[in-house]
Amino acid sequence: MSPRDAAAAVTGGTPLTADSPGAPDTPGGSGPAAAPRARNTPRAGRRAERTWGWLFVSPMVIVLGLFLVLPILMALWVSMLHWDGQSNPFSGQAKFVGLDNYRSLLTENGLDRTLFATALRNNFYYVVLTVPLQTVLALSLALIVNQRMLRGRSALRTVFFFPSVTSSIAVSTVFLFLFQGSGAVNTLLSWLGLKGPNWFNDPRGVLSLLLGGLGLVDPEHPSGALAHHAFMGLSWFDWLSGPSVAMCTIILLAVWTTSGTFMLIFLAALQNIPRELEESAAIEGVNRFQMLRHVTLPALRPVLFLVLTLGMISTWQVFDQVYVMGQGAPGNTTLTPAYLSYSTAFDDANYGQGAAIAFLLLALILTMTALQRLALRERGGRRLRRKR
């Protein structure tokens, strides 16, 4: 009897095949029953994770869509209308003017463009002076309170941070009293033999005053190319005259109230720097300045970009201090685009042009942020990636 017949006898006469359960392995056969082919589980798993991820974040996406994206789209539509706020802008009752609101602000000669250029000039000087000053002050304060041997570090952190949590309206009101013509600041200057200006009523630019004091330019009657060439309705002298004395007061207020917040950001980053770097640099005999330049600042590059970006965005959007401390006075030298957008819409009932100013300001902020990111990018890391 052959082995195949014997196996058939054991199984009740049914011959065992290579695919039968319990069949012995045979050359060329499939052996034990082959497992069914597995499905593409990684792709299905990723699809399931993506579905559940969107399901979990959908409430926040809906909230952002309703309260952020949709209002932006509605405001963009309003910026293309001549709307006085008395009717429904989406019912066809408001007049559609297309890009006329933007043209009147950028290309057409008139009061609208002159006011917009004045606001841009004022806010430009506000950004150029406020952002570096508050960044340097915040980093200096963070370096001070980060000293391990300093006593009362917690109290100093509270004192430095306190102006940031105080109401900006209250602080602005206090500054109004301090910088009055007979206020505490001018009284202190009189004790030193100096005569302080009438801070909030002085529209003169500080650069024009400096050039006038040096005898280079007559601030009252400028002449030459500075007076005969203009851009967006303002002469070159107006663009280069610098911030007014009143705007300098607002700059001091902004630096004093915002440095505490950025100090905490720098402080958290300083405490994350590995102590081994500082110890190894100290062993090499590195002084404090070299430590700051070659160890601390490179480690703070991402945080420095964050602080500069937040500072630039907030300074281009300044509104509350301007509203409390003069509403653009004196002579529109404290006027900013954010306040101009508000006054154009709510005071002049020209909501279309007010929305157009807001979108031009948004485009400016995005452009400045992109340029700042390009200037602060890590060039060394990019070269290394190119070599790879």
Side-chain angles (χ1 to χ4, degrees):
M1 181 181 295
S2 65
R4 188 180 185 90
D5 296 336
V10 172
T11 58
T14 304
L16 289 175
T17 62
D19 296 333
S20 300
D25 294 341
T26 59
S30 59
R37 181 174 297 178
R39 296 181 179 176
N40 194 356
T41 54
R43 182 178 300 176
R46 287 195 297 268
R47 188 181 298 111
E49 290 179 0
R50 192 180 302 114
T51 302
W52 281 105
W54 279 109
L55 182 62
F56 282 120
V57 302
S58 59
M60 184 54 64
V61 172
I62 294 174
V63 170
L64 290 177
L66 290 177
F67 296 100
L68 181 63
V69 178
L70 184 59
I72 290 177
L73 296 177
M74 295 170 63
L76 182 61
W77 170 254
V78 170
S79 69
M80 299 181 183
L81 303 175
H82 182 72
W83 182 48
D84 57 1
Q86 302 298 321
S87 59
N88 186 353
F90 307 103
S91 62
Q93 299 179 7
K95 181 181 179 181
F96 180 80
V97 295
L99 300 178
D100 287 351
N101 289 324
Y102 295 92
R103 294 192 190 97
S104 64
L105 294 171
L106 298 176
T107 61
E108 296 179 359
N109 294 326
L111 181 61
D112 295 335
R113 190 178 70 163
T114 302
L115 285 177
F116 184 63
T118 302
L120 288 179
R121 178 202 62 186
N122 299 337
N123 215 147
F124 172 77
Y125 284 112
Y126 181 84
V127 173
V128 168
L129 293 176
T130 301
V131 174
L133 289 175
Q134 70 184 8
T135 303
V136 172
L137 180 58
L139 180 57
S140 302
L141 296 177
L143 291 173
I144 292 174
V145 299
N146 193 47
Q147 300 296 322
R148 298 184 181 90
M149 303 302 295
L150 180 66
R151 295 182 178 180
R153 289 185 298 169
S154 299
L156 288 177
R157 294 173 187 174
T158 303
V159 170
F160 294 153
F161 182 66
F162 184 75
S164 299
V165 297
T166 307
S167 171
S168 61
I169 304 299
V171 175
S172 301
T173 305
V174 171
F175 264 64
L176 284 174
F177 286 101
L178 292 177
F179 285 89
Q180 285 182 356
S182 58
V185 175
N186 282 350
T187 301
L188 180 61
L189 292 177
S190 65
W191 292 348
L192 300 176
L194 301 175
K195 182 180 179 180
N198 195 357
W199 297 91
F200 292 108
N201 294 317
D202 196 338
R204 296 174 298 173
V206 293
L207 292 181
S208 64
L209 290 176
L210 178 61
L211 295 176
L214 297 176
L216 300 177
V217 176
D218 184 3
E220 301 297 333
H221 304 285
S223 59
L226 293 178
H228 296 94
H229 291 79
F231 176 69
M232 292 184 67
L234 294 181
S235 66
W236 288 4
F237 179 79
D238 292 331
W239 282 102
L240 300 176
S241 61
S244 65
V245 176
M247 179 59 80
C248 289
T249 308
I250 301 178
I251 291 173
L252 291 177
L253 169 63
V255 172
W256 186 68
T257 55
T258 57
S259 298
T261 301
F262 296 136
M263 177 202 69
L264 292 184
I265 298 176
F266 278 126
L267 182 60
L270 288 172
Q271 293 178 350
N272 284 330
I273 297 177
R275 188 175 300 179
E276 292 78 8
L277 292 177
E278 299 178 357
E279 294 176 351
S280 60
I283 293 175
E284 295 293 333
V286 175
N287 57 37
R288 290 183 177 271
F289 178 76
Q290 293 173 335
M291 178 85 71
L292 176 64
R293 180 180 178 183
H294 298 289
V295 178
T296 305
L297 290 181
L300 294 178
R301 180 185 291 270
V303 179
L304 183 62
F305 171 74
L306 173 65
V307 169
L308 290 175
T309 302
L310 294 177
M312 188 194 65
I313 293 175
S314 63
T315 50
W316 275 111
Q317 294 178 338
V318 58
F319 173 82
D320 45 357
Q321 293 93 339
V322 175
Y323 182 83
V324 175
M325 304 175 71
Q327 301 183 5
N332 293 324
T333 57
T334 60
L335 184 68
T336 61
Y339 183 77
L340 179 62
S341 175
Y342 164 82
S343 62
T344 301
F346 294 95
D347 294 339
D348 301 337
N350 192 349
Y351 290 86
Q353 192 172 91
I357 295 173
F359 276 98
L360 290 175
L361 180 59
L362 173 62
L364 179 62
I365 291 175
L366 293 178
T367 303
M368 296 294 291
T369 303
L371 294 176
Q372 182 174 288
R373 182 178 180 83
L374 183 65
L376 294 178
R377 71 185 188 276
E378 296 185 7
R379 298 179 177 85
R382 179 163 296 185
R383 294 195 191 102
L384 182 60
R385 287 193 295 270
R386 288 177 178 175
K387 291 180 181 179
R388 290 179 179 177

